[in-house]
Amino acid sequence: MTIKVLTADGASVASFAVPSIGIGTPTWTPDGKAVIVMNLQIFRPIRIEVADPTRRTPVAPLDWDGITIRDNGTFAVRFDKPGVWQIDNGIRLISGKYPAAFSPQLAFRGEDVLIPEFNASGGPRILAQPVAGGPDRVLAYAPGAQAEEGTS
Amino acid sequence: MSKMAVNPKTGDIIYVASVLRDTNIDLLTLTRH
């Protein structure tokens, strides 16, 4: 599997092989200097420097995936159970509602992380969960939204 | 799979809908809410 980094005009910046992608990845580091993917050979997410793709550094312990580094923290999901966590200062569960093994990248809107709720009684909807904690709220209804096969 | 993303400037959300799964994806569905 290959990751290609291009300019907006399509010029090649970098191209390098990765062993796997993972769920919720690849993501960029905030400084734009590295991408994060899941290395399924060691079950740890790794940071790959775009300027020197041979430099690869684990960025989280075993089993964390979907690593998303933002100015206000590092966020992650897991393969084995639903939820979204902040993991940069201890490990804090933000919400247990985020679907397990949901492959798209985490979506943030302001200070909220968005949680798809596919099986709500009134139809699929999107919840806004403050990353700081507290109750979620219904942000939007999403007719036709569906979990991918295998997503709980 | 319903991928979704947020426009960081406007906050608009886009998501992928399956019209095969929900043929009633129309204004009636949204109006109900």
Side-chain angles (χ1 to χ4, degrees):
Chain A
M1 193 173 297
T2 301
I3 287 183
K4 294 180 182 293
V5 181
L6 308 175
T7 67
D9 295 329
S12 179
V13 175
S15 178
F16 47 88
V18 294
S20 51
I21 293 293
I23 56 173
T25 44
T27 56
W28 283 101
T29 56
D31 62 10
K33 293 182 177 178
V35 295
I36 298 170
V37 302
M38 181 66 168
N39 184 339
L40 290 174
Q41 294 173 337
I42 58 174
F43 272 93
R44 293 183 69 182
I46 57 172
R47 169 192 171 113
I48 303 173
E49 307 300 325
V50 172
D52 180 5
T54 64
R55 291 179 55 205
R56 302 182 176 204
T57 314
V59 293
L62 283 171
D63 294 331
W64 293 103
D65 203 354
I67 301 295
T68 306
I69 302 175
R70 291 166 52 87
D71 292 339
N72 60 347
T74 299
F75 304 91
V77 299
R78 295 181 63 87
F79 281 103
D80 54 347
K81 54 186 174 183
V84 56
W85 287 261
Q86 183 170 356
I87 63 168
D88 59 302
N89 186 17
I91 294 174
R92 179 176 65 88
L93 177 65
I94 297 172
S95 171
K97 294 182 180 179
Y98 196 85
F102 184 55
S103 68
Q105 294 156 341
L106 285 169
F108 293 85
R109 186 174 186 269
E111 297 305 310
D112 298 323
V113 60
L114 304 190
I115 299 175
E117 194 174 50
F118 298 109
N119 299 315
S121 59
R125 59 189 187 178
I126 298 171
L127 305 178
Q129 168 65 56
V131 296
D136 57 52
R137 65 188 187 282
V138 177
L139 186 63
Y141 292 91
Q146 64 173 340
E148 61 191 306
E149 193 171 345
T151 301
S152 58
Chain B
M1 165 182 23
S2 289
K3 293 184 176 182
M4 60 182 180
V6 179
N7 182 322
K9 291 186 177 179
T10 66
D12 290 344
I13 304 170
I14 57 173
Y15 74 97
V16 179
S18 170
V19 294
L20 292 176
R21 179 185 175 93
D22 183 354
T23 55
N24 195 33
I25 177 173
D26 54 19
L27 293 178
L28 289 176
T29 304
L30 287 173
T31 301
R32 193 175 72 220
H33 299 298

